[in-house]
Amino acid sequence: PTRLVRPWNILIGRAAPGECIEYDPSKPAIVHLIPRFHPSPSSSSLPRREPLQIPIDSCFVCHYANGFEDPETGEVKFDMIKLPSLKLGDMQGSSPVWETVDYANYVPVSKLTRYTVDPVTESWSYETISHRAVDFPSISKKVSARPHRYVYCSTGCSATESRPAHGVMKVDTSQERAHTLWIPRPHEFLSEVVFTSREGSEETSPEDDGYLTAFLFDGNDMSSDLVVFDASNITKGPIARLPMKNFVPYGLHGTFAEGLVPTHEDVTRAESMMEGGKGISGV
């Protein structure tokens, strides 16, 4: 639950939207369950299901990992990155945040949390899957909207406090909780990892039969590598590194488009246009 404060500052350009948002701990968060299939009474004998709004505890959600309907109970379960509070509006100033913010004490610990909601009784519960601070969850696409076991998350170098995204954690949502971790050198920072299925992987293949890809930024020499992990064993570290011609600034999100592979001619043409000053608009 959030509220806008001084919204006119956004309109006149004196503040960014994030500077005008405050967390309101007095209000609950709301879970919205919207049926994907909504037949009309005249076209189907199936019962119509109306959207539900179910109040839960007060919290702020950064990102969602996955959600699915339990085929045995009909309950809806979803994994998300949960924070106990949000601090945006007071993070102002001209200096970089790493010079002015006490990260460990100021930034709340974000945890991967599973909520279970019963659409019939509108009851709910939650459990913390990992107590380590994580964010930017990624899963195998073949388990999207289905029961899953593994969630791949960005994580910092501390097991108990908030730290900037630094390495990768493979979170095991099963009862085994067999979490694994890879942390790079102190001056290296890993972007959000993206899961890509192994070529030839089938529906019956293990859920982690694939790769994780991300950019690894080296703060010492301002360089970046495209790194590839074996998703079944991330503790080995990258199994492949591709140095980038230019460094990629430390960022947040990543994506992978299957089959989108530019030819050598496409890359050469794009580079020549950028060198000629045309930039992206000239492509």
Side-chain angles (χ1 to χ4, degrees):
T2 57
R3 58 172 176 253
L4 274 176
V5 292
R6 303 177 297 278
W8 54 87
N9 283 336
I10 303 176
L11 299 177
I12 63 178
R14 289 189 174 181
E19 295 176 308
C20 299
I21 296 176
E22 287 185 354
Y23 180 76
D24 187 353
S26 67
K27 297 181 180 179
I30 306 294
V31 173
H32 294 265
L33 294 181
I34 303 174
R36 296 285 297 274
F37 180 68
H38 195 72
S40 62
S42 60
S43 63
S44 174
S45 59
L46 295 175
R48 289 172 61 89
R49 294 189 297 173
E50 300 297 329
L52 296 176
Q53 295 82 40
I54 302 175
I56 60 173
D57 57 319
S58 182
C59 63
F60 182 80
V61 180
C62 287
H63 302 102
Y64 289 89
N66 194 26
F68 58 92
E69 184 177 39
D70 190 312
E72 297 182 357
T73 65
E75 296 172 325
V76 177
K77 300 183 179 184
F78 50 94
D79 294 352
M80 64 187 193
I81 305 299
K82 175 183 178 180
L83 288 89
S85 62
L86 174 70
K87 295 182 178 180
L88 282 177
D90 52 351
M91 293 183 69
Q92 303 181 36
S94 58
S95 300
V97 294
W98 57 82
E99 294 181 356
T100 59
V101 175
D102 184 350
Y103 207 93
N105 294 317
Y106 183 87
V107 180
V109 176
S110 53
K111 301 178 181 180
L112 186 65
T113 306
R114 171 165 294 182
Y115 273 76
T116 299
V117 177
D118 189 327
V120 178
T121 65
E122 300 188 14
S123 59
W124 58 274
S125 63
Y126 73 86
E127 61 174 324
T128 302
I129 297 176
S130 171
H131 290 274
R132 189 185 185 99
V134 294
D135 204 349
F136 309 122
S138 177
I139 61 167
S140 169
K141 288 184 178 180
K142 70 180 180 182
V143 293
S144 179
R146 302 177 182 179
H148 62 278
R149 178 172 180 175
Y150 299 115
V151 180
Y152 309 93
C153 300
S154 299
T155 189
C157 59
S158 173
T160 58
E161 300 177 330
S162 288
R163 291 288 190 275
H166 186 48
V168 58
M169 182 175 183
K170 180 180 180 181
V171 182
D172 183 355
T173 67
S174 73
Q175 294 300 318
E176 295 181 21
R177 296 288 196 267
H179 310 320
T180 54
L181 183 73
W182 180 80
I183 298 293
R185 293 177 294 180
H187 57 275
E188 295 178 323
F189 297 88
L190 193 69
S191 67
E192 178 183 49
V193 299
V194 177
F195 183 92
T196 304
S197 295
R198 192 186 306 273
E199 185 176 5
S201 182
E202 301 177 351
E203 285 292 320
T204 56
S205 300
E207 183 183 326
D208 57 357
D209 183 26
Y211 305 98
L212 303 179
T213 56
F215 286 112
L216 183 65
F217 174 69
D218 188 319
N220 278 357
D221 58 17
M222 299 294 286
S223 65
S224 299
D225 291 346
L226 176 65
V227 293
V228 181
F229 296 83
D230 179 353
S232 65
N233 186 359
I234 66 169
T235 59
K236 295 188 300 184
I239 59 174
R241 286 177 178 254
L242 178 63
M244 296 289 97
K245 182 177 180 181
N246 299 305
F247 85 93
V248 179
Y250 181 49
L252 300 178
H253 299 295
T255 188
F256 174 79
E258 186 175 354
L260 182 60
V261 182
T263 65
H264 178 72
E265 290 75 18
D266 292 334
V267 175
T268 302
R269 176 172 172 267
E271 288 182 343
S272 64
M273 286 185 170
M274 294 187 70
E275 291 173 355
K278 295 182 179 180
I280 299 300
S281 61
V283 176

